[in-house]
Amino acid sequence: MKRTLSSIALAAGLLLGSSSAMASEEGGLPSAGTNVHDQAALQRGAKLFFNYCVGCHSLKFVRYSRIAEDLGLSEQDVMGNLNMTGARFGDAVISHMPEDSAATFFGKAPPDLSLEVRAKGADWVYGYLNSFYLDPTRPVGWNNTVFPNASMPNPLWELQGLQTAVMHKVDGDDVVEKLELSRPGKLSPAEYQQATRDLTTFLEYAAEPAALQRQRYGIWVLLFLAGFTLLAYALKKEYWKDVH
């Protein structure tokens, strides 16, 4: 038993150590602070996605009808306010930009965002949305400190404003020291951070819509297992009461 516990403790220590090392390698990303159980945040994030993102990006594993069910919206709300492509209520969320046109504009088709948070993490997505800056050396005029040389302009620049990079030299190379807001947008910095947090929350939901129902049903599953355990124990006692 002691040997088993020691092995478990060692494995847990190695796991925590590797997680810490991974976090340090990622450059200390800011915490997204998302909560997929916050329905208001999900609704605000959905509004942002369908106003600023769906023109280029799809959510091919999520249907409009599922969004309505999980976000507490009616079919009229979804089809009137979120459906920008003329899709049917039961259709998946597909961008209306043809892939060949997107490849011409951006060099390659923009990725589907259904699993973006599961692939890279909520902190990465949140940090990415807050780290665009003007860079005239790039083909699209933008760059990003979280994903350097990304072939994507800042889709939320009207909300955030324009950020410029303060550079310093490291071994002869220009390195971004910090980002400064050179031209304010429609939102204050705090409001913009909340907006990107809401958008990240919606993308986290889109990566696994079933998580909401799974967690909701989890308590009932645990109660059933507890009741079944008591019943099984009582049955065992009854069967073996005459065995000496």
Side-chain angles (χ1 to χ4, degrees):
M1 179 62 72
K2 290 182 179 180
R3 184 177 300 176
T4 302
L5 291 176
S6 299
S7 300
I8 294 174
L10 177 60
L14 291 174
L15 180 60
L16 291 174
S18 61
S19 300
S20 300
M22 185 179 296
S24 62
E25 289 175 0
E26 291 174 351
L29 291 170
S31 174
T34 55
N35 177 14
V36 293
H37 297 286
D38 185 346
Q39 193 171 83
L42 288 174
Q43 292 176 355
R44 294 192 301 266
K47 181 179 179 180
L48 287 168
F49 178 85
F50 285 101
N51 276 281
Y52 292 95
C53 305
V54 79
C56 298
H57 298 280
S58 300
L59 295 174
K60 63 183 180 181
F61 298 128
V62 185
R63 299 183 184 276
Y64 289 98
S65 55
R66 182 62 182 269
I67 292 175
E69 177 184 352
D70 291 339
L71 272 61
L73 302 173
S74 67
E75 180 176 351
Q76 183 178 359
D77 291 334
V78 170
M79 301 305 286
N81 300 317
L82 302 183
N83 182 4
M84 309 297 181
T85 64
R88 295 172 298 182
F89 187 55
D91 288 346
V93 179
I94 303 297
S95 168
H96 52 68
M97 179 181 288
E99 289 193 5
D100 54 349
S101 298
T104 301
F105 297 149
F106 303 111
K108 63 178 181 179
D112 180 88
L113 297 183
S114 300
L115 303 177
E116 190 72 6
V117 170
R118 293 196 68 179
K120 298 179 178 177
D123 291 349
W124 190 96
V125 173
Y126 174 73
Y128 176 71
L129 292 172
N130 283 274
S131 300
F132 281 97
Y133 65 94
L134 293 174
D135 185 352
T137 66
R138 297 294 301 157
V140 295
W142 292 88
N143 210 328
N144 192 286
T145 58
V146 172
F147 188 15
N149 300 326
S151 299
M152 175 180 168
N154 183 2
L156 306 176
W157 72 267
E158 289 183 324
L159 302 180
Q160 182 185 30
L162 303 179
Q163 290 192 134
T164 53
V166 177
M167 315 293 278
H168 70 283
K169 293 286 187 179
V170 176
D171 296 330
D173 296 326
D174 289 329
V175 177
V176 177
E177 179 179 353
K178 63 179 179 178
L179 299 178
E180 291 183 345
L181 188 64
S182 58
R183 175 181 161 187
K186 295 179 179 179
L187 302 179
S188 68
E191 290 172 336
Y192 180 75
Q193 289 175 4
Q194 182 60 55
T196 53
R197 182 173 294 109
D198 293 338
L199 179 53
T200 304
T201 300
F202 175 72
L203 290 175
E204 183 176 353
Y205 150 77
E208 192 180 4
L212 295 179
Q213 292 184 352
R214 185 181 68 246
Q215 294 171 8
R216 188 182 309 136
Y217 297 149
I219 183 63
W220 298 107
V221 173
L222 292 175
L223 290 174
F224 168 79
L225 291 175
F228 179 79
T229 299
L230 293 175
L231 179 62
Y233 179 75
L235 187 61
K236 177 256 185 188
K237 295 284 288 184
E238 181 64 24
Y239 274 129
W240 289 88
K241 66 180 181 180
D242 297 326
V243 177
H244 300 288

